[in-house]
Amino acid sequence: MRIPPTVSLCYNGEKFHQEPLKERNPMAIKPKTTPIYQTSVFTFEDLNELEAYFEQPSTAYMYTRFANPNSDELAAAVKALEQGAGAVVTSSGMSAILTAVLTYCESGDHLLCAEEIYGGSSVLLSRELRRLGIGVTYVPLEDMDDVSPYVTEKTKMLLTETMTNPFLNVQDIQQLASQCRRLGLKLVVDNTFATPVLTRPLTLGADMVIHSVTKYLSGHSDVTAGVVVAQTEPDGSRAQEIVVHYGLNLSPFESWLAARGLKTLHLRVKQHSANALAIARYLERHPRVKKVYYPGLPSHPQHQLAKRQGNGLFGGMLSFVIDDDPDTVNRFMRALTLIPFAPSLAGVQSSLSHPLKTSHRALTPEKRKKLGITMGLIRLSVGIEETEELIADLEQALDSIAD
Ligand SMILES: Cc1ncc(COP(=O)(O)O)c(C=O)c1O
């Protein structure tokens, strides 16, 4: 389409004159926000420019699977937040976990994993990575203060979450890091639930942090993404290579959306945490609620640790137990008007999930029983709405399940 030399536009009822577009230099534009580099490949002037790229690939872009400005922007922002030396973004939280494991383990190796972990992570380790010759042993929560009996000469790393799903058990990252150093293991921490606003595992001695960026880091339930942040540059570079070779990279648009969400992370996490604390206190007093799991409550087994390690905040996730009966659970879900049943978490809008039927569905009945994943267990992802409105919604839904 030919661009007319001058364009008269109507804006707010006023006509104004626009300069000829052909006289502008798009490369001289200085936008306040980063544009979306929605391109799979970048161009080169000639062979000399290509050679210069190969001599110093970090100074230019060639192919989006290798690197893209939007992915780099997101990785740099999370790297700064987590205070790491290297970072790479990935297509999902699962591919971030895969990248972390492949950074430290190869066929024949073995790793330890906290028993209470996101269901998808344990499926990846138990079904897929075992098939590729990487063994896994799950360490029960009560044994995490001394993992040495589980270590073999093949053990390379320990994977844990800062705060576990769905019971919000808090791991002592500093203590785990010193154990891992002594035992010659790498410590990989899934910091999805805590976020760097609460806890920065790399500053406590962890070797690698991963996130499901899908959750708090992007924060608006419209992105699927992951990130790996390493304590050292060689580990960060190795993680980057794995992402490139396995094709685990994140698209420019998803990177852009996540980077946009990240700008409000601190504000959001403060509001998520304030709302969750108020709701946890409310639920703990409610006669239809049998138990509440929230690290901000003095009744939580790691309340003191959470206080010390959480920067004065306890996060936006909590779980609670109502009657162990599917009909009651369904009535409760249907009665809520502000809080949809959505099997994910960490969006600005509150949502609830049902671990037994969603995240922990793939676990064996024995393992679910051992962990305490029951029909009446509800996991609440508390959003940033007005606190009183959320409590009023929960109140009327709990009233509706009264006998
Ligand atoms: C703690 C945790 N880690 C990792 C994942 C996987 O992330 P994704 O769904 O982005 O692949 C999830 C997903 O819910 C999660 O809750």
Side-chain angles (χ1 to χ4, degrees), residues 1-65:
M1 191 186 77
R2 205 175 69 80
I3 298 167
T6 57
V7 190
S8 279
L9 294 179
C10 194
Y11 178 69
N12 280 350
E14 257 178 66
K15 283 207 166 177
F16 70 93
H17 189 70
Q18 192 172 355
E19 290 304 308
L21 291 177
K22 64 178 181 185
E23 286 177 15
R24 294 189 186 145
N25 173 7
M27 304 318 286
I29 300 171
K30 295 182 187 166
K32 180 150 189 301
T33 58
T34 311
I36 306 171
Y37 289 85
Q38 192 67 36
T39 180
S40 61
V41 67
F42 298 81
T43 60
F44 293 88
E45 187 76 15
D46 57 15
L47 289 176
N48 296 333
E49 203 181 3
L50 183 81
E51 282 310 308
Y53 165 80
F54 277 109
E55 270 162 35
Q56 262 194 309
S58 62
T59 57
Y61 294 96
M62 181 189 197
Y63 190 54
T64 281
R65 177 163 57 80

Side-chain angles (χ1 to χ4, degrees), residues 92-95 97 118 121 161 165 190 192-193 210 212-215 224-225 344-345 379:
S92 65
M94 292 312 302
S95 51
I97 297 170
Y118 169 59
S121 308
E161 292 170 1
N165 173 30
D190 182 336
T192 300
F193 274 39
I210 72 99
S212 167
V213 173
T214 315
K215 311 296 168 5
T224 299
S344 188
L345 61 121
R379 191 192 69 187

Side-chain angles (χ1 to χ4, degrees), residues 52-120:
Y53 165 80
F54 277 109
E55 270 162 35
Q56 262 194 309
S58 62
T59 57
Y61 294 96
M62 181 189 197
Y63 190 54
T64 281
R65 177 163 57 80
F66 303 165
N68 174 284
N70 297 109
S71 309
D72 280 359
E73 181 187 38
L74 176 61
V78 183
K79 183 175 84 168
L81 277 173
E82 290 286 8
Q83 297 183 10
V88 60
V89 294
T90 62
S91 57
S92 65
M94 292 312 302
S95 51
I97 297 170
L98 178 63
T99 302
V101 173
L102 295 179
T103 300
Y104 294 129
C105 299
E106 57 189 29
S107 180
D109 287 339
H110 169 254
L111 63 92
L112 301 179
C113 179
E115 187 169 41
E116 205 181 302
I117 195 122
Y118 169 59

Side-chain angles (χ1 to χ4, degrees), residues 315-331:
M317 299 302 301
L318 64 89
S319 294
F320 60 100
V321 181
I322 56 174
D323 276 352
D324 222 17
D325 160 47
D327 195 46
T328 307
V329 171
N330 280 332
R331 275 193 289 139

Side-chain angles (χ1 to χ4, degrees), residues 166-186:
F167 294 114
L168 290 313
N169 281 308
V170 183
Q171 295 291 340
D172 187 337
I173 303 299
Q174 205 157 22
Q175 200 272 354
L176 284 176
S178 70
Q179 280 194 66
C180 285
R181 257 195 312 279
R182 210 173 49 246
L183 295 165
L185 308 183
K186 298 289 184 183

Side-chain angles (χ1 to χ4, degrees), residues 154-227:
K154 306 267 187 202
T155 312
K156 292 287 167 17
M157 61 170 265
L158 168 64
L159 173 66
T160 188
E161 292 170 1
T162 325
M163 281 176 168
T164 66
N165 173 30
F167 294 114
L168 290 313
N169 281 308
V170 183
Q171 295 291 340
D172 187 337
I173 303 299
Q174 205 157 22
Q175 200 272 354
L176 284 176
S178 70
Q179 280 194 66
C180 285
R181 257 195 312 279
R182 210 173 49 246
L183 295 165
L185 308 183
K186 298 289 184 183
L187 176 62
V188 177
V189 179
D190 182 336
N191 203 27
T192 300
F193 274 39
T195 82
V197 180
L198 271 68
T199 307
R200 293 172 163 166
L202 299 180
T203 67
L204 301 173
D207 297 283
M208 192 167 269
V209 162
I210 72 99
H211 282 271
S212 167
V213 173
T214 315
K215 311 296 168 5
Y216 286 111
L217 297 197
S218 63
H220 295 73
S221 311
D222 52 11
V223 171
T224 299
V227 68

